[in-house]
Amino acid sequence: MATIKDVANKANLSVATVSRYLNNHPYISEEKKKRIKAAMKELDYTPSSIATQLRSKKGTMIGILVSRITNPFFSYLVDAIEKEAKKNHYNVLIMQTYDDKKAEINTLELLKQHVIAGLIMCSVEGDPQMIASYQEFGPIVLCNERVSGADIPTVVTDQKKAVYNAISYLATKGYQKIAYCTGGTLTSEGHGRNRTEGFEQAVLEKNLTVRKNWIFRQVHTSQDGMKVADDLLQLPKVERPEAIFTNSDEVAMGIMEQMLQKGFQLPHDLAIIGFDNQPSTSLLRVPLTTIAQPVAALGMESTKLLLAKIENNSYEVDQAQLKLTLVKRKSA
Amino acid sequence: MATIKDVANKANLSVATVSRYLNNHPYISEEKKKRIKAAMKELDYTPSSIATQLRSKKGTMIGILVSRITNPFFSYLVDAIEKEAKKNHYNVLIMQTYDDKKAEINTLELLKQHVIAGLIMCSVEGDPQMIASYQEFGPIVLCNERVSGADIPTVVTDQKKAVYNAISYLATKGYQKIAYCTGGTLTSEGHGRNRTEGFEQAVLEKNLTVRKNWIFRQVHTSQDGMKVADDLLQLPKVERPEAIFTNSDEVAMGIMEQMLQKGFQLPHDLAIIGFDNQPSTSLLRVPLTTIAQPVAALGMESTKLLLAKIENNSYEVDQAQLKLTLVKRKSA
DNA sequence: GTGAAAGCGCTAACAT
DNA sequence: ATGTTAGCGCTTTCAC
């Protein structure tokens, strides 16, 4: 591999001049520019990003942390982030936590190790304080996650309002008995909590009925959804809800599959609302009513914010882009 | 940020000893190990990955190139690769081409710039020779892609056989008139070509009927699929095929959606076979018969092969893991 | 405008 | 077993 030194030799110039050329410094005579360009072409020279970073202390890579990339919400997020990052000449390092705190810490350590110049966290497991402390090593932006008790820049939507609207919609449609699924524990932080607040508010205002055994916690996968359906069907007919709000399309699809399997009619026997508007939810046997998140905007705004921080600029997140919408289809 | 020098000073040792400790060299007295460990903890020291890489010439990051991460096939691939890479203490840089040659070259350049130590290409656009030439800067592995005219390590499945089996299955079921979708141009290289060979072989052997206007090229999205359905429905009833083989579930879903929309019965009016076995294809209004690819194994084997090359070991790909299977459901 | 030279943080001979 | 030293490829004063 050719180095800057080789280029300098071939062009009969000092490495300093070549370096200046590389960084388009002003005041290099046109004639030498040509010589440098020629030498570079001839040697097929490319600067070593590693060396540049060591010397200049400027990274060229940002990290993105998700729980699992196979979740379409996250893959669309990564897509948006990668596009915006590339546009600004940053590369993207991807890390998955699989809900494991250790993996999250490993990712934060990459900041300390100068592997990444900044980090977008689309998933948060650990203690906010501890996460915040890593900002010493590079900017961190929380994307679609919020924490309390620590000061970390955040890009979020109003999930409380969205769920409130969804539940109100159910009420309008005449559904009175509502079941609820959450990925969290119901009391924990994060968007789980926000959604639950929206749910509770709607239940109160619209005078809806909820029972303890209509509340499901820690459900994430379609497997979990099928389990939820089973649990519901265990109940005597009169004690079953008329509708269920789920925290993800996957869960909704699991419930739906199980119900249809057992011969029930949807939404007649159970109305279902999903969350995410994943591709193909429109193609299900019973097209799914679901809440669409502004994924592309979330990714884009997060990236813009992070890059601004890396480059010591300020950036105001455009909240207008960050609206959730209820996509009304057959299932509710 | 503390450096190795700071640690050495604090521990009253030379940087060399500390460096040895970092690389668990043999023969360091236990007593000094303690001192070093203590100093590191006190200073909250983490080695700079950048400096290590510059000096040791050993990268710690591999690149993975896909056309679009939002395609579930690729996100599952990335998932598998990330897991296997992490297990071996490599990080994963992700790049999307969006079918753009330029983006592919940019990715290859990362190899030259020492940003990545190796590259897994799950998508190939450019000239094989040109791609192969980048192997000078680091190993490249083709995952689920094959090229001719250049020598690049490859991890692939037998797509020809899988398609042959799928078409034969259609024949067995009594379908005689078969339409065909490909993402390529029909004559181009890659798995498109292999699948087409399987298709052609089955058509010949089983004496099936194919017409020119039942062949669709360059179809990729569900949008394209809907267009295919429209084209088919333009045809007089007697000139329509009884079944269609598609190159992806997305295309299959597009066709399905459009057909159902227009009031047709599936598979009665048209049998459909997809490709990929994407999650949720089992949950469609008409559950999709499709070919499942061994995604996890593809990712894992590719990664093992690449890492072996990076570390100058040899690795024999386990072909037994790389079998395609026809998942039989309702649509065909 | 251009060059000489000092390092960025680390590793790896070569000594001892 | 441990220290000394010379760089890895690049950027950036400081001279001229």
Side-chain angles (χ1 to χ4, degrees):
Chain A
M1 279 279 352
T3 73
I4 197 176
K5 208 170 172 180
D6 300 327
V7 175
N9 286 151
K10 174 137 288 182
N12 260 310
L13 291 166
S14 71
V15 291
T17 306
V18 179
S19 173
R20 287 194 185 95
Y21 172 82
L22 249 21
N23 299 280
N24 7 257
H25 235 71
Y27 314 132
I28 309 181
S29 69
E30 280 305 322
E31 188 256 330
K32 319 223 152 160
K33 278 190 190 170
K34 304 260 184 236
R35 263 158 61 193
I36 295 174
K37 215 187 281 189
M40 286 185 175
K41 198 167 298 163
E42 196 169 340
L43 294 167
D44 190 25
Y45 168 80
T46 306
S48 158
S49 166
I50 295 296
T52 307
Q53 284 180 66
L54 175 59
R55 183 58 233 233
S56 70
K57 303 270 176 205
K58 275 178 191 142
T60 160
M61 191 140 43
I62 64 172
I64 160 168
L65 181 68
V66 300
S67 56
R68 2 174 99 59
I69 183 78
T70 52
N71 178 328
F73 174 72
F74 289 125
S75 69
Y76 277 85
L77 211 42
V78 170
D79 176 52
I81 292 171
E82 198 263 351
K83 275 189 208 150
E84 184 65 28
K86 185 185 282 177
K87 199 190 292 178
N88 295 279
H89 308 289
Y90 282 83
N91 289 125
V92 175
L93 182 82
I94 186 161
M95 301 283 289
Q96 305 191 79
T97 63
Y98 270 83
D99 306 323
D100 176 14
K101 266 184 206 170
K102 284 244 183 68
E104 181 174 282
I105 293 178
N106 286 340
T107 306
L108 289 163
E109 286 289 320
L110 293 181
L111 223 38
K112 207 170 173 184
Q113 295 160 205
H114 304 284
V115 173
I116 53 179
L119 176 63
I120 296 178
M121 297 181 71
C122 310
S123 161
V124 175
E125 294 291 328
D127 170 43
Q129 300 267 9
M130 171 248 135
I131 293 169
S133 74
Y134 275 90
Q135 291 180 107
E136 173 192 346
F137 308 112
I140 296 176
V141 166
L142 263 36
C143 176
N144 204 40
E145 291 277 351
R146 37 171 35 117
V147 298
S148 58
D151 189 23
I152 309 173
T154 300
V155 176
V156 281
T157 55
D158 190 347
Q159 310 231 356
K160 175 178 172 179
K161 192 166 119 203
V163 174
Y164 172 84
N165 288 340
I167 303 294
S168 301
Y169 170 75
L170 286 176
T172 309
K173 284 263 215 160
Y175 299 103
Q176 292 283 332
K177 306 172 174 179
I178 320 281
Y180 183 78
C181 299
T182 173
T185 58
L186 214 62
T187 54
S188 62
E189 301 297 333
H191 49 215
R193 185 80 271 268
N194 288 289
R195 294 181 191 178
T196 301
E197 282 171 11
F199 174 69
E200 288 167 344
Q201 188 187 332
V203 165
L204 277 177
E205 286 186 17
K206 312 288 176 185
N207 242 310
L208 304 172
T209 307
V210 184
R211 287 160 167 267
K212 263 203 200 97
N213 50 9
W214 293 352
I215 305 289
F216 299 88
R217 293 147 225 249
Q218 314 259 46
V219 291
H220 296 100
T221 64
S222 61
Q223 294 288 328
D224 294 338
M226 289 161 88
K227 176 80 171 51
V228 166
D230 287 339
D231 287 359
L232 249 26
L233 294 175
Q234 297 284 2
L235 267 32
K237 221 166 197 163
V238 289
E239 290 180 23
R240 293 185 196 151
E242 298 161 350
I244 187 164
F245 173 89
T246 69
N247 55 310
S248 85
D249 287 347
E250 288 176 340
V251 171
M253 286 193 261
I255 295 173
M256 185 179 286
E257 180 170 33
Q258 195 70 345
M259 295 291 291
L260 292 175
Q261 197 88 11
K262 304 268 180 185
F264 290 88
Q265 298 287 317
L266 306 185
H268 179 265
D269 296 313
L270 185 71
I272 306 180
I273 291 191
F275 208 110
D276 271 357
N277 191 29
Q278 290 187 7
S280 85
T281 48
S282 64
L283 303 174
L284 297 175
R285 259 171 286 177
V286 180
L288 188 68
T289 293
T290 185
I291 296 173
Q293 307 201 60
V295 205
L298 277 167
M300 189 158 168
E301 293 298 317
S302 301
T303 310
K304 283 184 173 169
L305 181 57
L306 184 76
L307 297 188
K309 297 208 176 281
I310 289 176
E311 292 164 4
N312 283 313
N313 301 323
S314 72
Y315 177 74
E316 205 57 48
V317 171
D318 184 358
Q319 279 296 335
Q321 305 294 317
L322 268 21
K323 300 285 183 220
L324 294 156
T325 49
L326 181 64
V327 181
K328 296 167 189 172
R329 291 195 278 244
K330 287 274 157 127
S331 76
Chain B
M1 278 279 352
T3 72
I4 198 176
K5 208 169 172 180
D6 301 326
V7 175
N9 286 151
K10 175 137 288 184
N12 259 311
L13 291 166
S14 72
V15 291
T17 307
V18 179
S19 174
R20 287 194 186 94
Y21 172 83
L22 250 22
N23 299 279
N24 7 255
H25 238 71
Y27 316 130
I28 309 180
S29 71
E30 281 304 322
E31 188 256 330
K32 318 222 153 160
K33 277 191 190 170
K34 304 258 182 237
R35 265 159 60 193
I36 295 174
K37 216 187 282 186
M40 285 183 174
K41 199 167 299 162
E42 198 170 338
L43 294 166
D44 190 27
Y45 169 79
T46 306
S48 159
S49 166
I50 295 297
T52 307
Q53 283 181 67
L54 176 58
R55 184 58 236 231
S56 71
K57 303 267 174 204
K58 274 178 193 144
T60 158
M61 193 138 43
I62 63 171
I64 159 167
L65 180 69
V66 300
S67 56
R68 1 174 100 60
I69 183 76
T70 52
N71 178 328
F73 174 72
F74 289 125
S75 69
Y76 276 86
L77 210 44
V78 170
D79 176 51
I81 292 171
E82 199 263 352
K83 275 189 206 153
E84 185 64 27
K86 186 186 282 178
K87 199 189 292 179
N88 295 279
H89 309 288
Y90 282 83
N91 290 127
V92 175
L93 183 83
I94 186 161
M95 302 283 290
Q96 305 191 78
T97 64
Y98 271 82
D99 306 322
D100 176 14
K101 265 184 208 171
K102 282 244 184 67
E104 182 174 283
I105 292 179
N106 287 339
T107 306
L108 289 163
E109 286 289 321
L110 293 181
L111 223 38
K112 205 169 173 186
Q113 294 162 202
H114 304 283
V115 173
I116 52 179
L119 175 63
I120 297 178
M121 298 182 71
C122 311
S123 162
V124 174
E125 294 292 328
D127 170 41
Q129 301 267 10
M130 172 249 136
I131 293 170
S133 73
Y134 276 90
Q135 292 179 107
E136 172 191 348
F137 310 111
I140 296 175
V141 166
L142 262 36
C143 175
N144 205 40
E145 290 279 351
R146 37 172 37 118
V147 298
S148 58
D151 189 24
I152 308 173
T154 300
V155 175
V156 281
T157 55
D158 190 347
Q159 310 230 359
K160 175 178 172 180
K161 193 167 119 202
V163 174
Y164 173 83
N165 289 340
I167 302 295
S168 300
Y169 170 76
L170 285 176
T172 309
K173 285 262 215 161
Y175 299 104
Q176 293 283 333
K177 306 173 172 177
I178 320 283
Y180 183 79
C181 298
T182 174
T185 57
L186 213 62
T187 54
S188 62
E189 300 297 331
H191 49 214
R193 187 79 272 267
N194 287 289
R195 294 180 190 179
T196 300
E197 283 173 10
F199 173 71
E200 288 168 344
Q201 188 187 334
V203 165
L204 278 178
E205 287 187 16
K206 311 290 176 186
N207 243 309
L208 304 172
T209 307
V210 185
R211 285 161 167 269
K212 260 202 204 102
N213 48 9
W214 293 352
I215 305 289
F216 299 89
R217 294 144 224 250
Q218 313 258 47
V219 291
H220 296 99
T221 64
S222 62
Q223 294 288 328
D224 294 337
M226 288 161 88
K227 175 80 169 50
V228 167
D230 286 340
D231 287 358
L232 249 25
L233 294 175
Q234 298 283 2
L235 268 32
K237 221 169 199 158
V238 290
E239 290 181 23
R240 292 185 197 151
E242 298 160 350
I244 186 162
F245 172 90
T246 69
N247 55 310
S248 86
D249 287 346
E250 288 176 340
V251 171
M253 288 193 262
I255 295 174
M256 186 180 286
E257 181 171 32
Q258 195 69 347
M259 295 291 291
L260 292 174
Q261 197 87 11
K262 304 267 180 185
F264 290 88
Q265 299 287 317
L266 307 185
H268 179 265
D269 295 313
L270 185 71
I272 306 180
I273 290 191
F275 209 110
D276 272 357
N277 190 30
Q278 291 188 6
S280 85
T281 48
S282 63
L283 303 174
L284 296 175
R285 259 170 286 176
V286 179
L288 188 66
T289 294
T290 184
I291 295 174
Q293 307 201 60
V295 204
L298 276 167
M300 189 159 168
E301 294 297 318
S302 301
T303 310
K304 283 182 173 171
L305 181 57
L306 185 76
L307 296 189
K309 297 209 175 282
I310 290 176
E311 291 162 5
N312 282 313
N313 301 323
S314 71
Y315 177 74
E316 204 56 47
V317 171
D318 183 358
Q319 279 296 336
Q321 306 294 316
L322 267 21
K323 301 285 184 220
L324 293 157
T325 50
L326 181 64
V327 181
K328 296 167 188 171
R329 291 194 280 245
K330 288 275 156 101
S331 75

